[in-house]
Amino acid sequence: MLKIFAQPSGASAPETHVFNFTSPTAARAEADAIKDALSRGIQQAKAGGETPVAPGGSASSAAMAIASAVSSGQQAGASQDGVYDDSKLQSDIELQQSLLKANPQLKKTFMESLRTKPGTITDTHFTSQFWSSRTHLLRAHAIEKSQTRGSYNVLASMKPGTKDGQSRLSLSKEQIQLIFNQHAIVRRAYDENVPKMSESEFWTSFFQSRLLKKLKGEKITEADATHPVLDKYLSIDNEAERARRLMASHVPHIIDIEGNEENHSQRKGNQADFTMRPASNDRVPIIRTLNTLSEKLLSQVAPNDIDPALPIGVDEETYNSLALQDLRDDNADDRIILNIKDQSRFSTSEDPTQSEDTK
């Protein structure tokens, strides 16, 4: 157990943080590593004349950040590609300037420390010493900059606004590309009707059409406005795109339920029970629409529980668990053949003329 006392600025009593180490073999080593890291941080803070402040702005959060950076710093420094290596982060001037712009409190600390530094310390040495104790902040900022926003339900997030008493909707190029990627029917309608109709006219008609309500999963009523061009895309079956994705995916035939429909169809003879019939899309359109869209969004996310170095498809362990033993060929005998030169030494031959007494 390790107990740490940290007193924030302006507080009358210090805060207590207790760390329990549950490792059966390396509990003492982990406690000593964190204690040594905190001791080095305190010594550096005393030498620089400044209290290390984390993005939260309190000394207690700085202590917590130093403690949490012990293991993460070692793991990140030993990463395979070395992008987040300590030496590279401390020498990246552009990343340091970006962090100072994003963190005003850290920038204030940096400028005050630079102004009050001793004259015997050069600016280069001061900068190196300043960032050496804040490598975890540089690493967190580098990871944050490398992250990009994933795909989302773009139609559900677009809300029209009001300007000069009229309803207006701003549409960016990124949103248009997301609409095309998520709804192939919109791309098809766009390619077939633009430039016959202007681009602004197309999008204005689309956001007022029944096609939009269908793609959002809303129920279409008789009161909804009709459009002579876009309404013809309402009857196009969206299941064709889903079937194309299933054909492109690597689904083992033994568990491909939809693949069995071709060989075990009930189109002839008695009809299947109503519990086994697919529900109509007109009954609950929102459920099927959201499920289909969620499937599209998740297909673009790389799974984190699969080794990317493995081949695409079913791994060997899954294949062996699904394969039917009766359909496999007999295993070839894998035996070592033993050749004996003089076999008579190891076998006995009896003379049939010998009597029972002689035996």
Side-chain angles (χ1 to χ4, degrees):
M1 183 179 68
L2 181 63
K3 182 179 290 186
I4 299 176
F5 297 90
Q7 184 171 0
S9 57
S12 57
E15 296 179 357
T16 305
H17 304 280
V18 180
F19 298 88
N20 294 320
F21 302 89
T22 59
S23 176
T25 57
R28 173 60 60 183
E30 293 176 356
D32 293 339
I34 293 182
K35 184 173 64 175
D36 295 340
L38 290 174
S39 300
R40 290 194 301 269
I42 293 174
Q43 294 296 331
Q44 292 177 0
K46 290 181 179 180
E50 294 288 340
T51 302
V53 180
S58 62
S60 61
S61 59
M64 297 295 293
I66 295 175
S68 62
V70 173
S71 59
S72 62
Q74 294 176 354
Q75 295 175 359
S79 60
Q80 296 180 356
D81 52 2
V83 176
Y84 305 120
D85 186 71
D86 290 355
S87 59
K88 291 186 177 181
L89 292 173
Q90 295 174 14
S91 60
D92 194 343
I93 306 298
E94 184 179 354
L95 179 64
Q96 297 170 6
Q97 295 294 332
S98 176
L99 178 58
L100 292 178
K101 292 180 181 179
N103 193 337
Q105 183 66 31
L106 182 63
K107 183 178 181 180
K108 180 180 178 181
T109 303
F110 178 82
M111 299 305 296
E112 291 181 356
S113 302
L114 181 62
R115 181 175 51 86
T116 59
K117 71 177 180 63
T120 56
I121 300 178
T122 61
D123 294 345
T124 304
H125 181 68
F126 165 78
T127 304
S128 176
Q129 185 177 5
F130 180 85
W131 291 114
S132 62
S133 60
R134 295 167 176 83
T135 309
H136 59 286
L137 299 179
L138 291 172
R139 182 175 295 109
H141 186 64
I143 295 175
E144 181 181 359
K145 289 184 62 178
S146 63
Q147 294 176 345
T148 57
R149 183 179 181 180
S151 183
Y152 59 96
N153 190 350
V154 60
L155 292 180
S157 62
M158 300 178 65
K159 305 296 181 183
T162 304
K163 184 178 181 181
D164 298 335
Q166 296 181 354
S167 179
R168 295 181 179 274
L169 179 65
S170 60
L171 195 62
S172 62
K173 293 183 179 180
E174 179 187 1
Q175 292 173 329
I176 293 177
Q177 189 62 37
L178 284 176
I179 294 175
F180 288 162
N181 293 338
Q182 296 176 9
H183 306 284
I185 191 66
V186 181
R187 176 185 287 274
R188 176 178 174 180
Y190 180 87
D191 294 340
E192 293 180 355
N193 297 281
V194 177
K196 296 179 183 179
M197 55 192 306
S198 63
E199 186 173 358
S200 59
E201 182 183 358
F202 172 82
W203 290 115
T204 302
S205 303
F206 170 74
F207 283 102
Q208 297 175 354
S209 65
R210 296 185 176 187
L211 181 60
L212 174 66
K213 298 191 67 175
K214 179 182 179 181
L215 296 178
K216 293 176 66 174
E218 300 177 1
K219 210 162 189 179
I220 300 176
T221 61
E222 295 295 334
D224 295 330
T226 60
H227 193 275
V229 177
L230 298 179
D231 284 355
K232 65 180 182 180
Y233 296 97
L234 293 173
S235 59
I236 296 179
D237 189 9
N238 291 329
E239 293 299 324
E241 181 187 358
R242 185 168 181 267
R244 181 185 59 81
R245 294 198 313 270
L246 288 176
M247 292 296 294
S249 60
H250 300 272
V251 180
H253 295 297
I254 193 172
I255 60 176
D256 186 5
I257 300 178
E258 293 195 5
N260 296 334
E261 181 66 20
E262 182 179 351
N263 300 324
H264 302 280
S265 176
Q266 292 180 333
R267 298 170 184 171
K268 299 180 180 180
N270 296 332
Q271 190 177 14
D273 187 71
F274 75 96
T275 57
M276 301 300 294
R277 303 173 197 168
S280 175
N281 194 27
D282 297 333
R283 294 181 181 179
V284 192
I286 184 65
I287 296 179
R288 180 167 296 185
T289 301
L290 291 180
N291 288 341
T292 304
L293 184 59
S294 300
E295 183 182 355
K296 292 180 182 178
L297 298 180
L298 290 177
S299 63
Q300 301 175 6
V301 179
N304 57 0
D305 57 345
I306 298 178
D307 188 0
L310 295 177
I312 299 176
V314 182
D315 57 283
E316 184 176 359
E317 182 180 358
T318 306
Y319 174 80
N320 293 332
S321 63
L322 296 176
L324 298 178
Q325 299 293 335
D326 294 342
L327 299 181
R328 293 185 176 182
D329 297 333
D330 296 335
N331 296 329
D333 293 338
D334 188 11
R335 296 179 296 179
I336 301 176
I337 301 176
L338 180 62
N339 298 320
I340 303 177
K341 295 182 178 180
D342 189 4
Q343 299 185 8
S344 60
R345 297 174 54 189
F346 302 95
S347 62
T348 59
S349 59
E350 297 181 356
D351 189 359
T353 59
Q354 292 180 343
S355 61
E356 292 292 331
D357 297 335
T358 306
K359 293 180 181 180

